[in-house]
Amino acid sequence: MSILVDQNTRVLVQGITGREGLFHTEQMLKAGTKVVAGVTPGKGGQTVQGIPVYDTVKEAAAQHGVDASIIFVPAAGAADAALEAAHAGIPLVVLITEGIPTMDMVKAVAEIKALDKVRLIGGNCPGLITPAACKIGIMPASVFKRGRVGLISRSGTVTYETAKALSDAGLGISTCVGIGGDPIIGSTFKDLLPLFNADPETEAVVICGEIGGSDEEDAAAYVKAHMKKPVVGFIGGRSAPKGKKMGHAGAIISGNVGTPESKLAAFAEAGVPVADTIDQIVELVRAKLQAS
Amino acid sequence: MNLHEYQAKELLARYGIPVPPGRVAYTADEAKAIASEYGDTVVIKAQVHTGGRGKAGGVKLAKTPEEAREKASQILGLNIRGFVTKKVLVGKAVDIAKEYYAGLILDRVTQRVVLMLSKEGGVDIEEVAAERPQAILKYPINPATGLRPFEARELVKQAGLEGNLGKLAGVLVQLYQAYVGVDASTAEINPLVVTAQGEVVAADAKIVLDDNALYRHPDLSRLREAEAEHPLEVEASNYGFAYVKLEGSVGIIGNGAGLVMYTLDLVNRSGGKPANFLDIGGGAKADVVYNAIKVVCKDPDVKGIFINIFGGITRADEVAKGVIQAMNDGILTKPVAMRVAGTAEEEAKKLLEGKPVYMYPSSIEAAKAIVEMVNGGGR
């Protein structure tokens, strides 16, 4: 088992004929993902890597059973692409694009949540992977080994490093979800924790957070109230100055919101140990698994 | 991107919000000319990209044109929190009866734009929020409908604002239209003034624009002022990196915002101080790395550089090629501690063999080493 995706998940690629779309379609196929169709408006009828391309998501979904869509559409059209997938009834939409205008995301997230049957991951995220089964994202699959730990992260490279460390240590990953570094995203830590809580393959969960916003605090509250499995935390950007945007649009401390102190206190309150370094994440997970 | 008060007021006026008459002056004589044209008491306000202007002496009243000249000459050139005042807004003073606060911000918890409304305007709203949060009414706006007049009227009543209900509510509706129209991330009117004559005017305004949406507002992106930012930040942004100038002496280059933040943390934990944040982004080629090194080496505060790469889409050998090119061209003159892992790690290590680059197997060791080199006066 795993969450959200498995080896049977049928995947659509939106923006499949663009540079990023092409490259990552190839990489996803190599990782064993069942990519069944692509969409690029105006390029319907072509094939890419043997995969048929359609003008609209509706057409692609009617021809192939589609379980999930991954979006590589440039920022100006990315929120619209997510809405197109959602209205075509695709239950899982993974939005990779970075730099999407914030108001576009405010509107799209509200509309998709109102549909109440579509899960949006991202934008500005690396996607998700269940190792050796399905990758819907841009992460290097080679560093992910299948295993016992669920991983949720706001960052890309920190996720890969953590996954590699957990894999090298023999613990492995059940499913890894990169939720994205923007202020407005489709799914937060607390939206995904219940899925890991219910997944029999996942024995522990790692939350890789960072400064800015209060998603880590919300996650800690959920852990305290509901989580049956051990959770380990990590917070990036603990030394960042206030008011400066650290690469991710969401990683900014404004006023007293988003400080590392607040996140550390929330995790401590929930009994979640926080690793100072990525190597320490492995030690803490191991200790938690031995204790439980 | 931050806008100046006068720019923010121009935008609000475009959306129908009344603002006091005012113009920008770059010299004391210009300020005097504007004041004599108005023939009335004026307020002279420093136009700098920072808060706390009033406390720093950057806001003064002038009753006569001659006084306006005097006050403007005191404010022009004034250093406010590191920003030198190069222009002032000379505006007609308003006859204040009531001062309120109205602001729109992006709220991550509700994932909506939230209207904040308070009777306690004209003061630092963050202080009000900290001391008496109940004094601020917060209302998340449905993005599908926007803020409608009936909602605005109800909110004005609920917050206890006194004055012409239609005019006050109208300003709130227009403020939301402006927020969405210019793609702001913050839009504030503080104070929102009800004058002795019963008019409602925005006596001060602050707008921060959403950088992601600037591409669809070419007229607004032209307002960006290079001098308001660190010159290296401007250069880096021309190259397309995310770069932030910091206070320390260890230059940092990495791939991925999360990894770069983590690298800053490691340098701090090792007793060093990062000189910058620089993310080369995903899939960077040798030339991008070369330019990154160029920017970091231009910073005179940098005593050593830590390059931290986890190859995913970015190939570590491309990074190595950029480093070698920078050495060959004599650009890379500072000691470098490097750690590479992931895609093409072995190729990168082979390329760097015998080069004057200190390679470390882990980020932690590289951080300790570079801090030692920098703090120990280099090698």
Side-chain angles (χ1 to χ4, degrees):
Chain A
M1 282 291 288
S2 52
I3 71 162
L4 296 167
V5 293
D6 59 30
Q7 67 277 9
N8 300 317
T9 304
R10 297 166 66 83
V11 178
L12 172 77
V13 179
Q14 289 175 257
I16 192 168
T17 58
R19 194 170 59 100
E20 300 285 315
L22 272 173
F23 175 74
H24 288 292
T25 298
E26 191 185 341
Q27 297 295 313
M28 286 190 285
L29 288 167
K30 273 189 195 161
T33 306
K34 285 197 169 60
V35 179
V36 295
V39 166
T40 297
K43 300 213 169 157
Q46 300 184 2
T47 53
V48 163
Q49 312 255 352
I51 292 157
V53 180
Y54 297 85
D55 284 324
T56 66
V57 176
K58 262 202 183 116
E59 289 169 298
Q63 292 298 316
H64 310 266
V66 173
D67 303 309
S69 179
I70 180 165
I71 298 173
F72 293 103
V73 174
D80 182 59
L83 286 168
E84 182 184 0
H87 284 287
I90 296 180
L92 177 64
V93 180
V94 181
L95 182 52
I96 304 295
T97 312
E98 74 175 279
I100 305 170
T102 308
M103 211 51 214
D104 291 5
M105 284 306 291
V106 169
K107 289 176 185 164
V109 166
E111 194 172 332
I112 289 171
K113 289 218 160 144
L115 291 175
D116 204 24
K117 57 181 183 188
V118 177
R119 180 176 299 278
L120 174 68
I121 307 282
N124 189 16
C125 82
L128 69 155
I129 181 169
T130 294
C134 180
K135 166 177 128 166
I136 308 182
I138 60 172
M139 59 285 280
S142 58
V143 302
F144 290 79
K145 300 274 181 297
R146 188 68 171 259
R148 312 193 266 164
V149 182
L151 175 57
I152 327 174
S153 172
R154 266 166 73 180
S155 142
T157 31
V158 162
T159 317
Y160 315 157
E161 289 241 8
T162 306
K164 184 173 190 299
L166 289 166
S167 298
D168 289 351
L171 292 162
I173 302 291
S174 56
T175 299
C176 166
V177 186
I179 59 174
D182 279 353
I184 304 294
I185 50 177
S187 300
T188 60
F189 294 123
K190 102 174 167 302
D191 296 330
L192 296 168
L193 283 170
L195 307 183
F196 281 119
N197 213 12
D199 172 35
E201 190 182 341
T202 302
E203 293 171 32
V205 178
V206 173
I207 297 175
C208 285
E210 62 191 29
I211 53 160
S214 58
D215 286 357
E216 289 78 6
E217 287 85 336
D218 295 344
Y222 179 87
V223 170
K224 193 178 179 197
H226 304 288
M227 208 65 191
K228 297 176 294 196
K229 302 173 183 183
V231 177
V232 168
F234 173 84
I235 295 159
R238 279 155 76 168
S239 61
K242 279 192 179 187
K244 291 269 190 180
K245 184 173 80 184
M246 290 291 149
H248 285 158
I252 181 166
I253 301 169
S254 37
N256 294 318
V257 178
T259 63
E261 291 76 22
S262 154
K263 294 175 192 302
L264 289 170
F267 277 141
E269 163 82 14
V272 173
V274 178
D276 289 326
T277 64
I278 289 173
D279 305 75
Q280 215 188 346
I281 293 175
V282 175
E283 292 164 33
L284 292 174
V285 170
R286 216 181 244 137
K288 277 277 186 183
L289 283 174
Q290 271 160 13
S292 66
Chain B
M1 188 177 97
N2 290 311
L3 295 183
H4 286 301
E5 174 191 355
Y6 75 94
Q7 295 164 335
K9 282 178 167 171
E10 273 172 34
L11 288 181
L12 295 183
R14 259 192 237 170
Y15 284 86
I17 296 175
V19 298
R23 287 219 310 275
V24 173
Y26 294 84
T27 66
D29 287 336
E30 279 172 30
K32 183 182 172 182
I34 297 166
S36 54
E37 191 184 308
Y38 290 145
D40 204 343
T41 302
V42 292
V43 194
I44 300 171
K45 300 162 101 175
Q47 299 296 291
V48 283
H49 286 301
T50 182
R53 294 177 302 175
K55 281 177 195 157
V59 179
K60 292 181 193 293
L61 269 178
K63 293 203 173 97
T64 65
E66 186 47 37
E67 202 184 347
R69 199 193 58 77
E70 246 169 68
K71 297 284 167 69
S73 73
Q74 289 164 16
I75 297 172
L76 285 162
L78 190 68
N79 187 318
I80 304 176
R81 293 186 183 174
F83 292 84
V84 177
T85 308
K86 291 183 176 160
K87 49 190 167 185
V88 291
L89 174 62
V90 184
K92 253 189 177 179
V94 287
D95 196 353
I96 298 171
K98 305 267 184 205
E99 290 186 284
Y100 298 133
Y101 170 91
L104 292 168
I105 53 148
L106 181 72
D107 179 51
R108 295 162 67 148
V109 176
T110 58
Q111 299 190 311
R112 289 181 175 200
V113 177
V114 167
L115 173 71
M116 300 195 297
L117 202 54
S118 177
K119 281 174 83 168
E120 301 186 28
V123 293
D124 184 350
I125 199 67
E126 285 189 12
E127 270 171 36
V128 178
E131 287 161 21
R132 289 181 308 287
Q134 72 282 1
I136 304 174
L137 179 70
K138 292 185 183 174
Y139 183 76
I141 296 165
N142 181 346
T145 59
L147 182 68
R148 289 166 292 183
F150 79 88
E151 290 172 285
R153 288 193 300 272
E154 286 169 3
L155 292 165
V156 168
K157 297 288 281 189
Q158 211 180 319
L161 271 47
E162 294 161 27
N164 186 303
L165 179 61
K167 283 180 183 166
L168 283 165
V171 166
L172 301 183
V173 169
Q174 287 159 336
L175 184 62
Y176 183 76
Q177 287 166 349
Y179 185 96
V180 176
V182 304
D183 274 302
S185 57
T186 300
E188 276 185 326
I189 302 175
N190 187 23
L192 174 63
V193 166
V194 179
T195 66
Q197 297 75 35
E199 294 305 315
V200 176
V201 294
D204 196 352
K206 178 183 167 184
I207 291 180
V208 182
L209 299 175
D210 173 15
D211 292 336
N212 284 356
L214 278 179
Y215 74 90
R216 54 190 179 200
H217 304 285
D219 55 324
L220 299 179
S221 42
R222 272 199 295 275
L223 300 178
R224 182 167 178 200
E225 287 175 4
E227 73 262 28
E229 295 164 48
H230 195 281
L232 287 174
E233 293 187 352
V234 176
E235 183 173 345
S237 108
N238 292 336
Y239 284 129
F241 318 130
Y243 173 96
V244 182
K245 175 78 179 96
L246 301 170
E247 308 283 301
S249 56
V250 181
I252 309 281
I253 296 173
N255 64 321
L259 179 63
V260 180
M261 269 190 266
Y262 176 56
T263 307
L264 303 184
D265 294 348
L266 287 179
V267 166
N268 254 291
R269 285 174 54 80
S270 307
K273 289 265 175 286
N276 66 276
F277 169 104
L278 195 162
D279 174 11
I280 58 171
K285 299 282 187 220
D287 60 319
V288 175
V289 177
Y290 181 90
N291 290 333
I293 292 170
K294 200 154 94 183
V295 169
V296 170
C297 281
K298 272 191 191 170
D299 179 354
D301 299 339
V302 169
K303 303 276 185 286
I305 303 176
F306 179 3
I307 302 179
N308 195 4
I309 301 296
F310 189 86
I313 315 163
T314 309
R315 293 179 59 92
D317 56 349
E318 284 290 330
V319 175
K321 283 178 198 163
V323 172
I324 292 166
Q325 186 64 41
M327 276 177 186
N328 291 346
D329 291 359
I331 287 171
L332 182 48
T333 50
K334 320 255 164 98
V336 178
M338 212 170 151
R339 173 268 185 173
V340 293
T343 310
E345 173 181 339
E346 293 312 317
E347 291 92 325
K349 284 179 178 163
K350 208 165 274 170
L351 283 170
L352 289 164
E353 231 170 51
K355 305 280 180 208
V357 170
Y358 301 94
M359 295 288 288
Y360 297 91
S362 79
S363 306
I364 300 169
E365 285 163 85
K368 278 185 187 148
I370 193 72
V371 168
E372 223 163 80
M373 278 187 242
V374 165
N375 289 353
R379 281 165 70 161

